[in-house]
Amino acid sequence: MTNPDQALQAQLRGTLLRPGDGGYDDSRTIWNGMIDRRPALVARCVGVGDVVACVRFAREQRMPLSIKGGGHNIAGLAVCDDGLMIDMSLMRGVWVDPIGQVARAQGGCTLGDLDREAQLHGLAAVLGFVSQTGIGGLTLGGGFGYLTRRFGWACDNILSAEVVTADGRVVRASERENGELFWGLRGGGSNFGIVTSIEYRMHRVGPEIYGGVIAWPADRAGAVFETLQRVFEDAPAELSCVPLMRNAPAAPWLNPDIHGKAIVALFVCYSGAIADGEKVLAPLKAVGSPAGDVVKNRTYVSQQSLLDATQPRGRRYYWKSEYLPGITPEILGKLREHSARVTSPHSAILIFPIDGRLNTLSTNHSAVGNRDARAVFNIQGSWERPEDDAVNIEWARSAWRDIRPFSTGGTYVNFLTEEEGDDRTRAAYGANYDRLVEVKTKWDPDNLFTSNKNIAPARPPHSRI
């Protein structure tokens, strides 16, 4: 009698790994070093047929299932214990149509993969800030980056998706095909199926933009934020500016005298005409006594990787975040207080501006919702040793408790940590939650896809998967 594992391997072009096999630990180890789960099987898929075979196998064997694209999610949703992990990280093809301004990318692609190919044609998708992030998790959870103020959520800019459903079919989701599924995928995450490729609407950006990062000693924060707020009073949508507060790393672009000391930094990107960017950003560059300034003409690809060094794979990470209706002096003051109490040289507090295009669309335009939000604050705990977990987690939670009263009441699903439960998932979707339950009930009634911030079907599953 054939062993079920052997039967699955016979259906795969890719490799099926078990504990102890070469490559198993590398595949199950992801960006957040706090995640240490051990799947019973890891399928390293090389095509959609492999994904279909894995879904059917998991159903038949009633085995927990997880899906890895880039493996960059803070909660480690890519990896399950004692189940089957579908590893799509080898599926990284990108096809760009420069005339139609469309690109299709496979589900294992990172942001850097798509940026690299698209920028050959002076095109860009709305993606995130760290080039090693997977496109799938980022986009299906909403997704925001330097282009969000101009063009909305990443998920507002997808045209279609190829999906392997819970019953092992391959379907296309778009405005004209399986429209409710398409609505749910745009923000509802991987609750409904496995997205094996995404078709993006592309935008004329780059290959060169005006951007980079400026940093000052923390005691200049007041002047920096006052100037920043004046700039943003009438800032064009082409401008994105991410404030960051942390202790200065030993980066070569920073004055050595500031290394290890508290700084405030601005990661800025102007995606329009470079001369216009120079004019808009001139007041910020004029704020005195910078510890480093590398804002200049640069490639968009290099801009997209500026934050990479702050997010190395294998470090321990714990985040807390909320949507904000705006950025006020009171909020900035509290964030500055908590940045001064930081317990790790790697931790940081960031504020991401998302106001603009996404605010102009209705709440139910897509599942992501929260279109009243104008910024995201993100408390990023980051450290090296397990014995330092408690103190760093408490630092992040303390800062979050102080800022949470200013929240819109919503939260970004991609930034939810492992222990955050159904109440936080509901907060991520708000008024769209009940409609998402309907989509889930139709496309995954037995709740096969649970290794996510899960939306359960309306009726109890027929069996425990």
Side-chain angles (χ1 to χ4, degrees), residues 56-386:
R56 291 174 176 169
F57 175 84
R59 286 197 67 87
E60 292 166 2
Q61 300 299 316
R62 300 187 177 185
M63 178 175 276
L65 184 65
S66 65
I67 304 102
K68 177 184 175 184
H72 207 269
N73 179 265
I74 184 67
L77 303 180
V79 192
C80 59
D81 270 323
D82 302 320
L84 171 62
M85 185 176 88
I86 296 177
D87 182 355
M88 295 195 298
S89 62
L90 299 178
M91 297 170 57
R92 295 173 70 170
V94 177
W95 298 268
V96 180
D97 172 5
I99 304 301
Q101 292 188 209
V102 171
R104 178 169 289 277
Q106 287 185 301
C109 285
T110 64
L111 276 53
D113 295 332
L114 180 50
D115 284 334
R116 180 176 181 273
E117 299 302 320
Q119 280 293 285
L120 295 174
H121 309 283
L123 295 173
V126 179
L127 297 172
F129 296 94
V130 176
S131 70
Q132 302 102 326
T133 304
I135 62 162
L138 177 120
T139 303
L140 298 179
F144 59 85
Y146 290 115
L147 302 181
T148 290
R149 296 189 70 240
R150 288 183 73 179
F151 304 118
W153 297 110
C155 69
D156 290 337
N157 290 273
I158 67 173
L159 301 173
S160 70
E162 181 182 68
V163 187
V164 177
T165 64
D167 56 3
R169 292 178 295 138
V170 181
V171 303
R172 175 183 165 92
S174 69
E175 291 285 2
R176 291 185 293 180
E177 301 170 80
N178 301 304
E180 274 297 282
L181 176 60
F182 184 59
W183 177 87
L185 290 172
R186 289 178 295 148
S190 58
N191 284 283
F192 319 110
I194 300 176
V195 173
T196 50
S197 67
I198 299 174
E199 183 184 31
Y200 289 90
R201 179 188 300 110
M202 306 298 283
H203 303 279
R204 292 286 176 196
V205 173
E208 196 170 71
I209 55 87
Y210 188 66
V213 56
I214 318 175
W216 295 264
D219 61 10
R220 299 294 294 153
V224 171
F225 285 130
E226 286 173 14
T227 306
L228 181 63
Q229 290 187 303
R230 286 200 302 273
V231 167
F232 265 93
E233 284 175 1
D234 57 357
E238 288 84 355
L239 176 65
S240 185
C241 188
V242 179
L244 174 149
M245 290 163 278
R246 61 165 294 169
N247 289 338
W253 64 275
L254 286 168
N255 186 324
D257 292 342
I258 201 72
H259 291 177
K261 298 177 183 177
I263 58 169
V264 57
L266 301 177
F267 284 78
V268 298
C269 177
Y270 193 87
S271 58
I274 286 174
D276 293 341
E278 292 173 342
K279 185 182 299 183
V280 168
L281 288 166
L284 285 168
K285 287 178 72 71
V287 176
S289 307
D293 181 352
V294 286
V295 173
K296 59 183 181 179
N297 297 6
R298 63 171 64 243
T299 65
Y300 182 69
V301 169
S302 75
Q303 179 73 28
Q304 284 288 85
S305 61
L306 280 177
L307 278 164
D308 286 7
T310 70
Q311 308 275 309
R313 176 172 166 159
R315 194 173 279 167
R316 303 177 77 79
Y317 297 97
Y318 181 88
W319 292 358
K320 300 296 285 187
S321 67
E322 294 284 335
Y323 287 127
L324 297 173
I327 302 171
T328 66
E330 189 175 4
I331 291 171
L332 291 171
K334 287 189 175 294
L335 291 175
R336 287 170 59 189
E337 286 177 24
H338 286 283
S339 68
R341 301 172 192 159
V342 69
T343 52
S344 166
H346 309 301
S347 294
I349 295 175
L350 296 94
I351 306 170
F352 298 99
I354 58 173
D355 61 302
R357 174 59 179 162
L358 70 82
N359 303 128
T360 69
L361 300 172
S362 66
T363 297
N364 64 359
H365 175 77
S366 65
V368 70
N370 286 290
R371 293 186 182 273
D372 57 339
R374 305 186 71 82
V376 181
F377 85 82
N378 185 207
I379 312 296
Q380 294 191 356
S382 174
W383 63 99
E384 302 285 355
R385 303 182 307 170

Side-chain angles (χ1 to χ4, degrees), residues 20-41:
D21 288 346
Y24 170 85
D25 281 328
D26 183 63
S27 190
R28 75 174 184 86
T29 302
I30 55 174
W31 163 75
N32 187 352
M34 292 189 74
I35 308 301
D36 186 24
R37 304 191 193 113
R38 296 178 178 272
L41 299 168

